[in-house]
Amino acid sequence: MSDDERQGDAADAFATRAQETHGESIRHLVVFGDAVRGDDRGVHTDVEVLLVLEDDDEMAESELERLAETVGLEHGVVFSVHVLPAGRFEASEEHPFIRTAFEEGRAYV
């Protein structure tokens, strides 16, 4: 299995499981970076995720981070999870990091 396939499978698996367990809390779930561009050049296999949660739910945040670690281990990739509460996201939508994630990324939610 190529790194691109592994990243895509891992991203899909994470998105599905995150929505099953915390769908009501997730406003946006976007996969971006090397996983979407396919330009990891064999250096590492990394999947970056931007999660925007409806409220500042620290329990959901930590559970989703653990889920990313679990799915990463299952698929042989490393997840980098960036979590923002909805209010902070709304105040920062034009930040280059957020704009890039949405422009280049694949939105699951």
Side-chain angles (χ1 to χ4, degrees), residues 64-105:
L64 287 162
E65 288 171 344
R66 279 195 305 277
L67 176 62
E69 184 177 314
T70 299
V71 173
L73 289 170
E74 292 170 359
H75 291 268
V77 300
V78 175
F79 276 89
S80 297
V81 180
H82 310 277
V83 180
L84 290 174
R88 193 162 140 213
F89 167 77
E90 290 167 356
S92 305
E93 283 185 76
E94 293 305 312
H95 188 280
F97 175 81
I98 294 171
R99 270 200 341 259
T100 299
F102 277 89
E103 288 171 2
E104 295 181 0

mmCIF file of all heavy atoms in Angstrom, residues 64-105:
data_model
loop_
_atom_site.group_PDB
_atom_site.id
_atom_site.type_symbol
_atom_site.label_atom_id
_atom_site.label_comp_id
_atom_site.label_asym_id
_atom_site.label_seq_id
_atom_site.Cartn_x
_atom_site.Cartn_y
_atom_site.Cartn_z
ATOM 1 N N LEU A 64 -11.044 12.979 20.886
ATOM 2 C CA LEU A 64 -10.756 13.018 19.451
ATOM 3 C C LEU A 64 -9.252 12.943 19.188
ATOM 4 O O LEU A 64 -8.819 12.319 18.223
ATOM 5 C CB LEU A 64 -11.372 14.269 18.824
ATOM 6 C CG LEU A 64 -12.898 14.211 18.701
ATOM 7 C CD1 LEU A 64 -13.480 15.597 18.493
ATOM 8 C CD2 LEU A 64 -13.310 13.268 17.580
ATOM 9 N N GLU A 65 -8.464 13.560 20.043
ATOM 10 C CA GLU A 65 -7.014 13.452 19.895
ATOM 11 C C GLU A 65 -6.555 12.012 20.125
ATOM 12 O O GLU A 65 -5.693 11.502 19.405
ATOM 13 C CB GLU A 65 -6.311 14.419 20.840
ATOM 14 C CG GLU A 65 -6.450 15.863 20.392
ATOM 15 C CD GLU A 65 -5.956 16.872 21.402
ATOM 16 O OE1 GLU A 65 -5.775 16.520 22.592
ATOM 17 O OE2 GLU A 65 -5.741 18.030 21.003
ATOM 18 N N ARG A 66 -7.132 11.336 21.121
ATOM 19 C CA ARG A 66 -6.800 9.922 21.354
ATOM 20 C C ARG A 66 -7.259 9.051 20.181
ATOM 21 O O ARG A 66 -6.564 8.116 19.785
ATOM 22 C CB ARG A 66 -7.424 9.429 22.663
ATOM 23 C CG ARG A 66 -6.621 9.801 23.886
ATOM 24 C CD ARG A 66 -7.042 9.023 25.122
ATOM 25 N NE ARG A 66 -8.462 9.114 25.451
ATOM 26 C CZ ARG A 66 -9.022 10.108 26.133
ATOM 27 N NH1 ARG A 66 -8.285 11.110 26.565
ATOM 28 N NH2 ARG A 66 -10.312 10.094 26.396
ATOM 29 N N LEU A 67 -8.425 9.356 19.627
ATOM 30 C CA LEU A 67 -8.920 8.620 18.465
ATOM 31 C C LEU A 67 -7.948 8.771 17.294
ATOM 32 O O LEU A 67 -7.647 7.800 16.603
ATOM 33 C CB LEU A 67 -10.316 9.106 18.073
ATOM 34 C CG LEU A 67 -10.906 8.481 16.809
ATOM 35 C CD1 LEU A 67 -11.085 6.973 16.982
ATOM 36 C CD2 LEU A 67 -12.237 9.144 16.476
ATOM 37 N N ALA A 68 -7.454 9.973 17.069
ATOM 38 C CA ALA A 68 -6.493 10.197 15.988
ATOM 39 C C ALA A 68 -5.232 9.372 16.212
ATOM 40 O O ALA A 68 -4.690 8.779 15.273
ATOM 41 C CB ALA A 68 -6.146 11.680 15.887
ATOM 42 N N GLU A 69 -4.778 9.305 17.438
ATOM 43 C CA GLU A 69 -3.595 8.501 17.747
ATOM 44 C C GLU A 69 -3.866 7.020 17.477
ATOM 45 O O GLU A 69 -3.048 6.322 16.876
ATOM 46 C CB GLU A 69 -3.211 8.701 19.211
ATOM 47 C CG GLU A 69 -1.944 7.999 19.612
ATOM 48 C CD GLU A 69 -1.579 8.290 21.056
ATOM 49 O OE1 GLU A 69 -1.634 9.467 21.465
ATOM 50 O OE2 GLU A 69 -1.236 7.337 21.769
ATOM 51 N N THR A 70 -5.034 6.543 17.890
ATOM 52 C CA THR A 70 -5.409 5.142 17.675
ATOM 53 C C THR A 70 -5.499 4.810 16.195
ATOM 54 O O THR A 70 -4.937 3.815 15.725
ATOM 55 C CB THR A 70 -6.755 4.832 18.368
ATOM 56 O OG1 THR A 70 -6.617 5.055 19.771
ATOM 57 C CG2 THR A 70 -7.198 3.401 18.108
ATOM 58 N N VAL A 71 -6.196 5.647 15.435
ATOM 59 C CA VAL A 71 -6.349 5.412 13.997
ATOM 60 C C VAL A 71 -4.981 5.500 13.316
ATOM 61 O O VAL A 71 -4.673 4.716 12.419
ATOM 62 C CB VAL A 71 -7.358 6.401 13.372
ATOM 63 C CG1 VAL A 71 -7.387 6.278 11.855
ATOM 64 C CG2 VAL A 71 -8.755 6.162 13.946
ATOM 65 N N GLY A 72 -4.165 6.432 13.752
ATOM 66 C CA GLY A 72 -2.818 6.550 13.199
ATOM 67 C C GLY A 72 -2.006 5.287 13.395
ATOM 68 O O GLY A 72 -1.337 4.811 12.465
ATOM 69 N N LEU A 73 -2.075 4.715 14.589
ATOM 70 C CA LEU A 73 -1.357 3.467 14.857
ATOM 71 C C LEU A 73 -1.894 2.328 14.000
ATOM 72 O O LEU A 73 -1.129 1.511 13.490
ATOM 73 C CB LEU A 73 -1.447 3.107 16.339
ATOM 74 C CG LEU A 73 -0.636 3.982 17.286
ATOM 75 C CD1 LEU A 73 -0.996 3.675 18.739
ATOM 76 C CD2 LEU A 73 0.852 3.793 17.041
ATOM 77 N N GLU A 74 -3.204 2.278 13.830
ATOM 78 C CA GLU A 74 -3.824 1.227 13.015
ATOM 79 C C GLU A 74 -3.395 1.313 11.548
ATOM 80 O O GLU A 74 -3.291 0.291 10.873
ATOM 81 C CB GLU A 74 -5.348 1.326 13.093
ATOM 82 C CG GLU A 74 -5.917 0.988 14.434
ATOM 83 C CD GLU A 74 -7.399 1.314 14.571
ATOM 84 O OE1 GLU A 74 -8.014 1.841 13.610
ATOM 85 O OE2 GLU A 74 -7.936 1.065 15.655
ATOM 86 N N HIS A 75 -3.160 2.533 11.058
ATOM 87 C CA HIS A 75 -2.876 2.743 9.639
ATOM 88 C C HIS A 75 -1.412 3.088 9.355
ATOM 89 O O HIS A 75 -1.042 3.302 8.193
ATOM 90 C CB HIS A 75 -3.780 3.848 9.080
ATOM 91 C CG HIS A 75 -5.214 3.435 8.996
ATOM 92 N ND1 HIS A 75 -5.753 2.867 7.867
ATOM 93 C CD2 HIS A 75 -6.215 3.473 9.905
ATOM 94 C CE1 HIS A 75 -7.029 2.588 8.086
ATOM 95 N NE2 HIS A 75 -7.328 2.946 9.317
ATOM 96 N N GLY A 76 -0.606 3.170 10.396
ATOM 97 C CA GLY A 76 0.807 3.467 10.201
ATOM 98 C C GLY A 76 1.090 4.888 9.767
ATOM 99 O O GLY A 76 2.001 5.136 8.975
ATOM 100 N N VAL A 77 0.291 5.839 10.260
ATOM 101 C CA VAL A 77 0.508 7.251 9.956
ATOM 102 C C VAL A 77 0.508 8.048 11.257
ATOM 103 O O VAL A 77 0.113 7.551 12.312
ATOM 104 C CB VAL A 77 -0.585 7.818 9.006
ATOM 105 C CG1 VAL A 77 -0.609 7.074 7.694
ATOM 106 C CG2 VAL A 77 -1.949 7.805 9.653
ATOM 107 N N VAL A 78 0.940 9.293 11.155
ATOM 108 C CA VAL A 78 0.934 10.199 12.301
ATOM 109 C C VAL A 78 -0.100 11.283 12.027
ATOM 110 O O VAL A 78 -0.073 11.916 10.968
ATOM 111 C CB VAL A 78 2.322 10.834 12.511
ATOM 112 C CG1 VAL A 78 2.278 11.870 13.624
ATOM 113 C CG2 VAL A 78 3.359 9.762 12.807
ATOM 114 N N PHE A 79 -1.012 11.487 12.960
ATOM 115 C CA PHE A 79 -1.996 12.559 12.858
ATOM 116 C C PHE A 79 -1.506 13.777 13.633
ATOM 117 O O PHE A 79 -0.977 13.641 14.737
ATOM 118 C CB PHE A 79 -3.338 12.133 13.474
ATOM 119 C CG PHE A 79 -4.218 11.361 12.555
ATOM 120 C CD1 PHE A 79 -4.123 9.978 12.471
ATOM 121 C CD2 PHE A 79 -5.166 12.001 11.770
ATOM 122 C CE1 PHE A 79 -4.937 9.253 11.633
ATOM 123 C CE2 PHE A 79 -5.994 11.283 10.929
ATOM 124 C CZ PHE A 79 -5.878 9.904 10.857
ATOM 125 N N SER A 80 -1.695 14.939 13.047
ATOM 126 C CA SER A 80 -1.511 16.209 13.740
ATOM 127 C C SER A 80 -2.893 16.846 13.799
ATOM 128 O O SER A 80 -3.453 17.209 12.762
ATOM 129 C CB SER A 80 -0.549 17.117 12.985
ATOM 130 O OG SER A 80 0.733 16.538 12.918
ATOM 131 N N VAL A 81 -3.449 16.936 14.995
ATOM 132 C CA VAL A 81 -4.818 17.425 15.164
ATOM 133 C C VAL A 81 -4.785 18.841 15.732
ATOM 134 O O VAL A 81 -4.166 19.093 16.762
ATOM 135 C CB VAL A 81 -5.623 16.496 16.096
ATOM 136 C CG1 VAL A 81 -7.047 17.011 16.260
ATOM 137 C CG2 VAL A 81 -5.622 15.071 15.557
ATOM 138 N N HIS A 82 -5.459 19.751 15.039
ATOM 139 C CA HIS A 82 -5.564 21.147 15.460
ATOM 140 C C HIS A 82 -7.032 21.389 15.801
ATOM 141 O O HIS A 82 -7.896 21.293 14.926
ATOM 142 C CB HIS A 82 -5.122 22.081 14.329
ATOM 143 C CG HIS A 82 -3.792 21.709 13.739
ATOM 144 N ND1 HIS A 82 -2.600 22.099 14.296
ATOM 145 C CD2 HIS A 82 -3.482 20.934 12.667
ATOM 146 C CE1 HIS A 82 -1.608 21.600 13.575
ATOM 147 N NE2 HIS A 82 -2.120 20.897 12.584
ATOM 148 N N VAL A 83 -7.309 21.686 17.070
ATOM 149 C CA VAL A 83 -8.691 21.840 17.529
ATOM 150 C C VAL A 83 -8.955 23.300 17.876
ATOM 151 O O VAL A 83 -8.165 23.935 18.583
ATOM 152 C CB VAL A 83 -8.965 20.954 18.763
ATOM 153 C CG1 VAL A 83 -10.401 21.130 19.238
ATOM 154 C CG2 VAL A 83 -8.669 19.496 18.458
ATOM 155 N N LEU A 84 -10.065 23.812 17.361
ATOM 156 C CA LEU A 84 -10.501 25.168 17.687
ATOM 157 C C LEU A 84 -11.949 25.136 18.141
ATOM 158 O O LEU A 84 -12.776 24.477 17.508
ATOM 159 C CB LEU A 84 -10.434 26.073 16.452
ATOM 160 C CG LEU A 84 -9.078 26.453 15.906
ATOM 161 C CD1 LEU A 84 -9.246 27.224 14.602
ATOM 162 C CD2 LEU A 84 -8.326 27.302 16.919
ATOM 163 N N PRO A 85 -12.274 25.868 19.215
ATOM 164 C CA PRO A 85 -13.691 26.045 19.551
ATOM 165 C C PRO A 85 -14.327 26.956 18.494
ATOM 166 O O PRO A 85 -13.655 27.783 17.880
ATOM 167 C CB PRO A 85 -13.666 26.710 20.925
ATOM 168 C CG PRO A 85 -12.261 27.047 21.228
ATOM 169 C CD PRO A 85 -11.379 26.463 20.182
ATOM 170 N N ALA A 86 -15.614 26.794 18.272
ATOM 171 C CA ALA A 86 -16.320 27.520 17.212
ATOM 172 C C ALA A 86 -16.129 29.036 17.309
ATOM 173 O O ALA A 86 -15.900 29.688 16.296
ATOM 174 C CB ALA A 86 -17.803 27.164 17.240
ATOM 175 N N GLY A 87 -16.213 29.585 18.506
ATOM 176 C CA GLY A 87 -16.056 31.036 18.667
ATOM 177 C C GLY A 87 -14.700 31.530 18.221
ATOM 178 O O GLY A 87 -14.590 32.565 17.551
ATOM 179 N N ARG A 88 -13.669 30.814 18.566
ATOM 180 C CA ARG A 88 -12.314 31.201 18.155
ATOM 181 C C ARG A 88 -12.147 31.043 16.645
ATOM 182 O O ARG A 88 -11.512 31.874 15.996
ATOM 183 C CB ARG A 88 -11.286 30.368 18.903
ATOM 184 C CG ARG A 88 -9.903 30.913 18.778
ATOM 185 C CD ARG A 88 -9.002 30.354 19.847
ATOM 186 N NE ARG A 88 -7.714 30.096 19.232
ATOM 187 C CZ ARG A 88 -6.903 29.143 19.554
ATOM 188 N NH1 ARG A 88 -7.217 28.314 20.517
ATOM 189 N NH2 ARG A 88 -5.751 29.013 18.960
ATOM 190 N N PHE A 89 -12.734 29.998 16.094
ATOM 191 C CA PHE A 89 -12.702 29.795 14.640
ATOM 192 C C PHE A 89 -13.361 30.968 13.927
ATOM 193 O O PHE A 89 -12.807 31.515 12.973
ATOM 194 C CB PHE A 89 -13.398 28.482 14.274
ATOM 195 C CG PHE A 89 -13.695 28.339 12.816
ATOM 196 C CD1 PHE A 89 -12.689 28.003 11.919
ATOM 197 C CD2 PHE A 89 -14.980 28.540 12.330
ATOM 198 C CE1 PHE A 89 -12.960 27.864 10.565
ATOM 199 C CE2 PHE A 89 -15.258 28.405 10.986
ATOM 200 C CZ PHE A 89 -14.247 28.071 10.102
ATOM 201 N N GLU A 90 -14.548 31.349 14.378
ATOM 202 C CA GLU A 90 -15.280 32.438 13.738
ATOM 203 C C GLU A 90 -14.504 33.752 13.789
ATOM 204 O O GLU A 90 -14.553 34.546 12.850
ATOM 205 C CB GLU A 90 -16.654 32.598 14.380
ATOM 206 C CG GLU A 90 -17.581 31.442 14.052
ATOM 207 C CD GLU A 90 -18.824 31.395 14.912
ATOM 208 O OE1 GLU A 90 -18.965 32.222 15.842
ATOM 209 O OE2 GLU A 90 -19.658 30.502 14.663
ATOM 210 N N ALA A 91 -13.769 33.968 14.864
ATOM 211 C CA ALA A 91 -12.981 35.193 14.998
ATOM 212 C C ALA A 91 -11.698 35.140 14.166
ATOM 213 O O ALA A 91 -11.064 36.175 13.950
ATOM 214 C CB ALA A 91 -12.636 35.424 16.468
ATOM 215 N N SER A 92 -11.325 33.955 13.695
ATOM 216 C CA SER A 92 -10.039 33.787 13.008
ATOM 217 C C SER A 92 -10.167 33.173 11.623
ATOM 218 O O SER A 92 -9.177 32.692 11.069
ATOM 219 C CB SER A 92 -9.131 32.885 13.849
ATOM 220 O OG SER A 92 -8.991 33.369 15.148
ATOM 221 N N GLU A 93 -11.355 33.176 11.036
ATOM 222 C CA GLU A 93 -11.576 32.496 9.751
ATOM 223 C C GLU A 93 -10.641 32.961 8.646
ATOM 224 O O GLU A 93 -10.336 32.196 7.742
ATOM 225 C CB GLU A 93 -13.027 32.673 9.289
ATOM 226 C CG GLU A 93 -13.988 31.784 10.016
ATOM 227 C CD GLU A 93 -15.391 31.893 9.459
ATOM 228 O OE1 GLU A 93 -15.635 31.319 8.384
ATOM 229 O OE2 GLU A 93 -16.227 32.545 10.098
ATOM 230 N N GLU A 94 -10.164 34.180 8.713
ATOM 231 C CA GLU A 94 -9.288 34.711 7.661
ATOM 232 C C GLU A 94 -7.811 34.482 7.963
ATOM 233 O O GLU A 94 -6.953 34.889 7.178
ATOM 234 C CB GLU A 94 -9.567 36.197 7.428
ATOM 235 C CG GLU A 94 -10.943 36.448 6.835
ATOM 236 C CD GLU A 94 -11.167 35.664 5.535
ATOM 237 O OE1 GLU A 94 -10.283 35.688 4.649
ATOM 238 O OE2 GLU A 94 -12.221 35.016 5.414
ATOM 239 N N HIS A 95 -7.500 33.817 9.055
ATOM 240 C CA HIS A 95 -6.107 33.512 9.366
ATOM 241 C C HIS A 95 -5.544 32.623 8.254
ATOM 242 O O HIS A 95 -6.232 31.704 7.785
ATOM 243 C CB HIS A 95 -6.023 32.803 10.720
ATOM 244 C CG HIS A 95 -4.630 32.629 11.202
ATOM 245 N ND1 HIS A 95 -3.816 31.634 10.736
ATOM 246 C CD2 HIS A 95 -3.922 33.343 12.096
ATOM 247 C CE1 HIS A 95 -2.640 31.725 11.322
ATOM 248 N NE2 HIS A 95 -2.676 32.760 12.155
ATOM 249 N N PRO A 96 -4.309 32.865 7.817
ATOM 250 C CA PRO A 96 -3.739 32.070 6.715
ATOM 251 C C PRO A 96 -3.750 30.563 6.961
ATOM 252 O O PRO A 96 -3.993 29.786 6.034
ATOM 253 C CB PRO A 96 -2.304 32.598 6.597
ATOM 254 C CG PRO A 96 -2.359 33.979 7.161
ATOM 255 C CD PRO A 96 -3.412 33.940 8.226
ATOM 256 N N PHE A 97 -3.520 30.137 8.177
ATOM 257 C CA PHE A 97 -3.535 28.706 8.492
ATOM 258 C C PHE A 97 -4.913 28.103 8.218
ATOM 259 O O PHE A 97 -5.041 27.063 7.569
ATOM 260 C CB PHE A 97 -3.142 28.492 9.956
ATOM 261 C CG PHE A 97 -3.236 27.062 10.408
ATOM 262 C CD1 PHE A 97 -2.219 26.166 10.114
ATOM 263 C CD2 PHE A 97 -4.339 26.613 11.124
ATOM 264 C CE1 PHE A 97 -2.299 24.836 10.529
ATOM 265 C CE2 PHE A 97 -4.436 25.296 11.539
ATOM 266 C CZ PHE A 97 -3.403 24.410 11.240
ATOM 267 N N ILE A 98 -5.952 28.770 8.682
ATOM 268 C CA ILE A 98 -7.321 28.275 8.511
ATOM 269 C C ILE A 98 -7.737 28.351 7.045
ATOM 270 O O ILE A 98 -8.307 27.406 6.496
ATOM 271 C CB ILE A 98 -8.298 29.048 9.421
ATOM 272 C CG1 ILE A 98 -7.968 28.739 10.892
ATOM 273 C CG2 ILE A 98 -9.743 28.701 9.103
ATOM 274 C CD1 ILE A 98 -8.707 29.589 11.894
ATOM 275 N N ARG A 99 -7.442 29.472 6.399
ATOM 276 C CA ARG A 99 -7.782 29.605 4.976
ATOM 277 C C ARG A 99 -7.121 28.516 4.140
ATOM 278 O O ARG A 99 -7.753 27.907 3.284
ATOM 279 C CB ARG A 99 -7.364 30.984 4.454
ATOM 280 C CG ARG A 99 -8.430 32.026 4.594
ATOM 281 C CD ARG A 99 -8.230 33.221 3.680
ATOM 282 N NE ARG A 99 -6.899 33.412 3.150
ATOM 283 C CZ ARG A 99 -5.999 34.285 3.607
ATOM 284 N NH1 ARG A 99 -6.290 35.045 4.634
ATOM 285 N NH2 ARG A 99 -4.825 34.406 3.022
ATOM 286 N N THR A 100 -5.846 28.256 4.399
ATOM 287 C CA THR A 100 -5.119 27.230 3.650
ATOM 288 C C THR A 100 -5.725 25.854 3.878
ATOM 289 O O THR A 100 -5.895 25.075 2.938
ATOM 290 C CB THR A 100 -3.628 27.224 4.043
ATOM 291 O OG1 THR A 100 -3.078 28.502 3.721
ATOM 292 C CG2 THR A 100 -2.865 26.139 3.310
ATOM 293 N N ALA A 101 -6.062 25.548 5.126
ATOM 294 C CA ALA A 101 -6.667 24.240 5.428
ATOM 295 C C ALA A 101 -7.941 24.047 4.617
ATOM 296 O O ALA A 101 -8.153 22.982 4.021
ATOM 297 C CB ALA A 101 -6.955 24.124 6.929
ATOM 298 N N PHE A 102 -8.789 25.064 4.555
ATOM 299 C CA PHE A 102 -10.050 24.945 3.826
ATOM 300 C C PHE A 102 -9.854 24.988 2.316
ATOM 301 O O PHE A 102 -10.556 24.292 1.575
ATOM 302 C CB PHE A 102 -11.045 26.024 4.272
ATOM 303 C CG PHE A 102 -11.793 25.647 5.510
ATOM 304 C CD1 PHE A 102 -11.291 25.955 6.770
ATOM 305 C CD2 PHE A 102 -12.991 24.959 5.425
ATOM 306 C CE1 PHE A 102 -11.976 25.592 7.919
ATOM 307 C CE2 PHE A 102 -13.680 24.591 6.567
ATOM 308 C CZ PHE A 102 -13.170 24.913 7.815
ATOM 309 N N GLU A 103 -8.909 25.787 1.832
ATOM 310 C CA GLU A 103 -8.687 25.898 0.389
ATOM 311 C C GLU A 103 -8.037 24.641 -0.179
ATOM 312 O O GLU A 103 -8.380 24.193 -1.268
ATOM 313 C CB GLU A 103 -7.826 27.118 0.079
ATOM 314 C CG GLU A 103 -8.562 28.424 0.277
ATOM 315 C CD GLU A 103 -7.655 29.643 0.191
ATOM 316 O OE1 GLU A 103 -6.432 29.490 -0.065
ATOM 317 O OE2 GLU A 103 -8.162 30.763 0.403
ATOM 318 N N GLU A 104 -7.059 24.084 0.545
ATOM 319 C CA GLU A 104 -6.312 22.935 0.041
ATOM 320 C C GLU A 104 -6.843 21.607 0.564
ATOM 321 O O GLU A 104 -6.513 20.563 0.028
ATOM 322 C CB GLU A 104 -4.837 23.047 0.439
ATOM 323 C CG GLU A 104 -4.122 24.218 -0.188
ATOM 324 C CD GLU A 104 -2.665 24.279 0.215
ATOM 325 O OE1 GLU A 104 -2.201 23.399 0.994
ATOM 326 O OE2 GLU A 104 -1.977 25.214 -0.236
ATOM 327 N N GLY A 105 -7.628 21.664 1.613
ATOM 328 C CA GLY A 105 -8.032 20.452 2.295
ATOM 329 C C GLY A 105 -9.274 19.784 1.752
ATOM 330 O O GLY A 105 -9.936 20.280 0.842
#
